[in-house]
Amino acid sequence: MRIFAIGRNYAEHIKELNNERPDEPVIFTKPDTALLRNNAPFYLPDFSNDIHHEVELVLRICKEGKNIEERFANRYYDAIGIGIDFTARDLQQKAKEKGLPWDIAKGFNGSAPISDTFLPVSSFADLKNINFSLKIDGQLKQQGNTSLMLFNFDFIISYLSKFFTLRTGDLIFTGTPKGVGQVKVGNVLSAYIEDEKLLEFEVK
């Protein structure tokens, strides 16, 4: 099972980090050891002083495919969950300044908490109008809607499949809206799709 992730997929988030707007999806991956399930606590690592939360909708691949045409992409994912793409922002910035890969800033152990529940695609009236959000200690920190994506689900699937064979069980983090920020010990993170809380855990 592979975890793919899309960077810079919401314009306002690009602005807040002063990044360049991409012409094509920015792709990175996380190892399966990054997954954090069952609402288990997230332990702040000692190698970073600036761990940021990035809430994202997560697609679950249900069928193997490569070189998938965008018009057929909807056949290859069957459910949507929610997750956090934890980022060691200080390590990432240092790597970016040197033009180096930033795998350690994104793929460290436990950096991908994910909901145990995935909602069937069929339960959504419009995949281009899904609300999702993150609260920390009950305060709203991030709020997004799929209508604001630069690259929608089907385009992401098609684009990824040009380079990688997608397999059943693969997960795709689809990008974060504005409002990212640092987490601290004692924070409780709660992530929602529409009004349904699907993920909640504590930072330790």
Side-chain angles (χ1 to χ4, degrees):
M1 185 268 284
R2 296 196 64 176
I3 305 168
F4 299 97
I6 311 300
R8 306 181 190 178
N9 201 21
Y10 287 82
E12 292 300 315
H13 173 57
I14 294 170
K15 288 181 184 177
E16 73 180 348
L17 294 186
N18 295 313
N19 285 325
E20 183 179 335
R21 183 168 174 149
D23 295 322
E24 296 176 321
V26 175
I27 308 298
F28 61 95
T29 63
K30 290 175 179 265
D32 57 7
T33 49
L35 285 179
L36 195 61
R37 298 184 184 274
N38 303 315
N39 292 319
F42 171 74
Y43 289 87
L44 284 176
D46 58 9
F47 51 72
S48 172
N49 296 312
D50 195 16
I51 299 293
H52 278 210
H53 59 79
E54 300 188 12
V55 69
E56 311 199 11
L57 293 178
V58 183
L59 303 182
R60 185 177 69 194
I61 298 299
C62 63
K63 180 180 176 182
E64 183 169 316
K66 59 182 177 180
N67 294 317
I68 300 165
E69 292 184 41
E70 187 175 350
R71 62 194 174 117
F72 298 130
N74 63 313
R75 302 177 183 177
Y76 290 84
Y77 59 99
D78 64 350
I80 301 171
I82 198 161
I84 307 294
D85 167 24
F86 275 130
T87 304
R89 193 71 73 200
D90 45 359
L91 299 187
Q92 185 188 41
Q93 189 59 37
K94 186 184 297 184
K96 286 167 65 175
E97 288 171 358
K98 296 180 179 179
L100 298 173
W102 23 273
D103 293 52
I104 60 172
K106 286 284 193 178
F108 57 89
N109 290 336
S111 62
I114 196 169
S115 60
D116 290 321
T117 299
F118 274 63
L119 305 176
V121 167
S122 59
S123 67
F124 295 95
D126 183 359
L127 296 181
K128 295 180 180 178
N129 185 24
I130 300 173
N131 293 298
F132 63 105
S133 59
L134 175 71
K135 293 181 180 179
I136 299 182
D137 301 334
Q139 299 295 312
L140 183 65
K141 294 295 183 180
Q142 288 186 267
Q143 190 167 23
N145 183 283
T146 52
S147 65
L148 301 174
M149 284 179 159
L150 301 183
F151 308 106
N152 65 33
F153 293 157
D154 290 353
F155 185 89
I156 289 169
I157 295 285
S158 178
Y159 184 83
L160 270 175
S161 72
K162 293 178 182 179
F163 307 97
F164 308 100
T165 297
L166 300 179
R167 292 184 170 146
T168 301
D170 284 351
L171 300 172
I172 302 173
F173 281 66
T174 58
T176 194
K178 68 177 180 179
V180 303
Q182 187 177 14
V183 295
K184 298 180 179 179
V185 171
N187 286 159
V188 175
L189 277 65
S190 308
Y192 299 76
I193 296 180
E194 298 297 347
D195 295 323
E196 185 172 356
K197 180 165 65 177
L198 296 177
L199 177 65
E200 184 170 74
F201 62 94
E202 184 177 356
V203 177
K204 292 189 174 183

